[in-house]
Amino acid sequence: MKSSISISRKIKPYNKVIQIDGDKSLSIRWALLASQAMGKSKAYNLLRSEDVLDTLNCLKTLGIKIKNKKKYCEIHGKGINRFNYKNNLVLNAGNSGTLGRLILGLLVHSPKKIRLIGDRSLSKRDFSRVTEPLKKIGGKFYFNKKNKLPLSMLGTKFAKPINYNENKGSAQCKSCVMLAAMNTEGETIIKAKRSRNHTELLFKYLKIPIKVREKTKFDIIKIKGKKKITSFNYKIPSDISSSAFFIALTALSENSRLIIKSVNINPTRGGVIEILSKMGVKISLKNKINYKGEKIADIQVESAKNLKAINCPAKLNSSAIDEFLIIFLVAARSKGISYFKNLSELNQKESPRLVWGSKILNLMGVKTILTKSSIKIFGQPNLNIKKSIIIKNYLKDHRVFMMSTIAALTCGGQWKIHDQESIKTSFPSFLKIIKKLNKNSL
């Protein structure tokens, strides 16, 4: 794969049906929970991205047997906290914050010393978010630099249940404590600001004792530990975060129509659909089903002619947190001034995404007003770029690369986008699918 991609023409009209890669959040969670189940578990349509492959490699290093076949992945679980590894083991989480944070929850009961490392991007992210509650459970953690990877940890034989207040809307932090709670005697109680609930739904499906009481702005989650998990098979639905780029591509292209098959439209992830619909994107959901707690549907989208600005309700932030870069691009092509607030969490991602979203729009000639937690975007419905634009030095954030690619294909200009390999993190087939829409597009 070349290190950069050049795009100098807009994509031509298309009318296609596509299948997007498997959901990354569910792929990682399936693998981690399958490692704790007794027996063989299989996943179909497992995402084969670097984040998921790093998850499988970490589990192998911890003594879990895995068969990664073309049509499915099989994990031979040994039960809760039955990892088998040597002292001073090194685990590499690569770029994955989900893997790096969640696996610490599984390891809090492991009495041997483990060192966790990650790539340059992950090593800039705050891990005290999960180590602080895990310390209360009984884990010990040592950082080389304040709250950043690499870290060393030592679990405890006497993991104890805790009361935990998760007030950032971070599904990673919540899920880390939930996984740790499986190793405790007694009941862990989590008061969590609303965020994606894949872990809760998997717990319910696997009959792990869990009670969830939904409040207006937060959930109360109660988990009882020390229960066996039976092996399970799972068909991973397509990823809404990856689908969002193709929803935007179609909306911003002329005379185009697209159907994306079998997408996970979990309401805690559906903010992008609601926000773009409010802005005038024609989105419809077909063939809805419920699969083991997850809501799945085919997404149909058409070219949008009269996009309008939005004052985005902050209550939708957590359900669209990974899609805001592409939402910003749609706002740049909308009539009026769009306003997005309470988004400081975006700067805690693989790159400071709020900053990069503004920077890319400015390079395109779109005016923005940026603060530490908000952005105003002054839309240009007739935007047609004539100049050259270079995107580089963005910590290889896969979503920055994909946003830039969609901008180049819909807004004109001569683009050179570096670090093409970044898409391997979450969406390896991204460029291949674009070529299926129009073979001369890239």
Side-chain angles (χ1 to χ4, degrees), residues 68 105 155 160 211 375:
N68 200 359
K160 51 191 178 184
K211 293 180 181 178
I375 186 171

Side-chain angles (χ1 to χ4, degrees), residues 153-183:
M153 76 166 291
L154 190 64
T156 176
K157 292 182 179 180
F158 307 103
K160 51 191 178 184
I162 63 169
N163 289 352
Y164 170 55
N165 184 15
E166 197 294 297
N167 57 14
K168 297 182 182 297
S170 169
Q172 292 178 1
C173 298
K174 173 181 66 177
S175 296
C176 171
V177 175
M178 290 176 67
L179 293 174
M182 295 194 307
N183 273 302

Side-chain angles (χ1 to χ4, degrees), residues 30 40-44 73-74 205-206 230-235 291-292:
W30 169 80
K40 299 177 184 179
S41 298
K42 287 185 179 180
Y44 301 88
C73 178
E74 183 178 270
Y205 171 68
L206 294 172
T230 304
S231 59
F232 64 108
N233 296 340
Y234 204 94
K235 185 177 180 180
Y291 177 74
K292 299 180 179 178

Side-chain angles (χ1 to χ4, degrees), residues 18-27 44-50 52 235-244 246 260-264 269 402 423-434 436:
I18 62 172
Q19 182 90 37
I20 297 292
D21 296 1
D23 187 287
K24 181 159 73 82
S25 293
L26 275 173
S27 292
Y44 301 88
N45 197 40
L46 187 79
L47 176 63
R48 259 60 175 207
S49 73
E50 287 183 346
V52 179
K235 185 177 180 180
I236 310 290
S238 294
D239 197 312
I240 183 64
S241 297
S242 297
S243 300
F246 288 91
I260 311 173
K261 301 290 288 183
S262 302
V263 182
N264 186 344
R269 297 276 300 280
M402 291 188 283
I423 58 173
K424 293 179 181 179
T425 297
S426 68
F427 197 178
S429 67
F430 173 67
L431 296 176
K432 289 181 182 178
I433 294 176
I434 290 175
K436 287 181 181 179

Side-chain angles (χ1 to χ4, degrees), residues 213-237:
R213 189 153 47 96
E214 295 183 357
K215 299 286 189 176
T216 304
K217 294 183 179 181
F218 57 87
D219 296 333
I220 301 295
I221 304 166
K222 297 181 179 181
I223 300 166
K224 290 184 178 179
K226 294 297 182 182
K227 304 296 180 182
K228 291 183 180 179
I229 304 175
T230 304
S231 59
F232 64 108
N233 296 340
Y234 204 94
K235 185 177 180 180
I236 310 290

Side-chain angles (χ1 to χ4, degrees), residues 83-228:
F83 292 133
N84 182 20
Y85 62 94
K86 296 179 180 179
N87 200 25
N88 295 315
L89 187 74
V90 177
L91 295 177
N92 189 346
N95 183 259
S96 179
T98 302
L99 166 60
R101 288 172 173 152
L102 267 60
I103 203 166
L104 292 179
L106 288 184
L107 294 169
V108 75
H109 201 283
S110 300
K112 295 178 182 177
K113 191 174 181 180
I114 287 178
R115 182 173 171 84
L116 181 66
I117 64 174
D119 71 2
R120 181 185 170 203
S121 173
L122 188 61
S123 298
K124 291 179 178 291
R125 299 175 71 177
D126 181 9
F127 269 71
S128 67
R129 292 177 164 206
V130 291
T131 59
E132 287 305 309
L134 292 180
K135 284 179 183 177
K136 295 178 180 178
I137 291 173
K140 296 180 180 179
F141 299 88
Y142 311 92
F143 291 97
N144 283 13
K145 49 185 178 178
K146 188 176 180 181
N147 300 332
K148 305 290 196 307
L149 296 185
L151 69 77
S152 296
M153 76 166 291
L154 190 64
T156 176
K157 292 182 179 180
F158 307 103
K160 51 191 178 184
I162 63 169
N163 289 352
Y164 170 55
N165 184 15
E166 197 294 297
N167 57 14
K168 297 182 182 297
S170 169
Q172 292 178 1
C173 298
K174 173 181 66 177
S175 296
C176 171
V177 175
M178 290 176 67
L179 293 174
M182 295 194 307
N183 273 302
T184 65
E185 296 280 2
E187 185 176 69
T188 292
I189 301 175
I190 304 169
K191 179 181 177 182
K193 188 176 178 181
R194 193 67 49 79
S195 62
R196 63 185 62 177
N197 67 345
H198 300 307
T199 309
E200 292 95 309
L201 294 178
L202 281 167
F203 270 42
K204 288 178 181 179
Y205 171 68
L206 294 172
K207 294 182 171 54
I208 299 170
I210 180 173
K211 293 180 181 178
V212 180
R213 189 153 47 96
E214 295 183 357
K215 299 286 189 176
T216 304
K217 294 183 179 181
F218 57 87
D219 296 333
I220 301 295
I221 304 166
K222 297 181 179 181
I223 300 166
K224 290 184 178 179
K226 294 297 182 182
K227 304 296 180 182
K228 291 183 180 179

Side-chain angles (χ1 to χ4, degrees), residues 211-432:
K211 293 180 181 178
V212 180
R213 189 153 47 96
E214 295 183 357
K215 299 286 189 176
T216 304
K217 294 183 179 181
F218 57 87
D219 296 333
I220 301 295
I221 304 166
K222 297 181 179 181
I223 300 166
K224 290 184 178 179
K226 294 297 182 182
K227 304 296 180 182
K228 291 183 180 179
I229 304 175
T230 304
S231 59
F232 64 108
N233 296 340
Y234 204 94
K235 185 177 180 180
I236 310 290
S238 294
D239 197 312
I240 183 64
S241 297
S242 297
S243 300
F245 292 97
F246 288 91
I247 294 172
L249 175 63
T250 305
L252 298 177
S253 299
E254 293 183 1
N255 302 317
S256 294
R257 181 176 178 271
L258 185 66
I259 295 175
I260 311 173
K261 301 290 288 183
S262 302
V263 182
N264 186 344
I265 57 164
N266 181 314
T268 64
R269 297 276 300 280
V272 63
I273 294 175
E274 186 171 348
I275 293 168
L276 293 182
S277 296
K278 289 177 182 290
M279 298 175 74
V281 178
K282 297 179 181 179
I283 301 173
S284 56
L285 304 176
K286 308 287 187 181
N287 304 319
K288 297 180 184 178
I289 64 169
N290 189 302
Y291 177 74
K292 299 180 179 178
E294 296 287 351
K295 298 184 187 301
I296 300 171
D298 298 340
I299 297 177
Q300 180 176 304
V301 59
E302 300 176 5
S303 301
K305 294 182 179 178
N306 298 301
L307 293 169
K308 55 188 177 183
I310 186 172
N311 184 350
C312 187
K315 66 180 182 180
L316 296 177
N317 287 357
S318 66
S319 61
I321 196 65
D322 284 336
E323 293 76 57
F324 271 108
L325 283 180
I326 202 65
I327 293 170
F328 293 164
L329 178 61
V330 175
R333 288 281 301 278
S334 301
K335 184 179 181 180
I337 304 171
S338 292
Y339 181 48
F340 304 90
K341 57 184 178 293
N342 297 350
L343 283 175
S344 58
E345 188 68 14
L346 269 187
N347 286 330
Q348 302 300 319
K349 295 291 183 176
E350 285 87 334
S351 71
R353 285 184 184 159
L354 189 59
V355 173
W356 266 102
S358 179
K359 183 175 181 178
I360 292 170
L361 296 185
N362 294 161
L363 289 171
M364 293 166 59
V366 176
K367 179 183 176 182
T368 63
I369 297 177
L370 181 69
T371 72
K372 290 182 179 179
S373 62
S374 70
I375 186 171
K376 283 185 179 179
I377 300 171
F378 294 74
Q380 297 183 37
N382 299 315
L383 179 64
N384 189 21
I385 301 168
K386 300 294 185 182
K387 62 180 180 178
S388 296
I389 296 176
I390 298 175
I391 306 295
K392 60 181 181 179
N393 299 328
Y394 53 87
L395 290 175
K396 297 185 179 182
D397 185 340
H398 48 120
R399 301 200 196 279
V400 171
F401 178 89
M402 291 188 283
M403 174 203 180
S404 302
T405 301
I406 301 303
L409 290 169
T410 57
C411 300
Q414 292 79 45
W415 292 67
K416 185 173 184 180
I417 309 166
H418 288 259
D419 295 323
Q420 179 182 171
E421 66 275 10
S422 64
I423 58 173
K424 293 179 181 179
T425 297
S426 68
F427 197 178
S429 67
F430 173 67
L431 296 176
K432 289 181 182 178

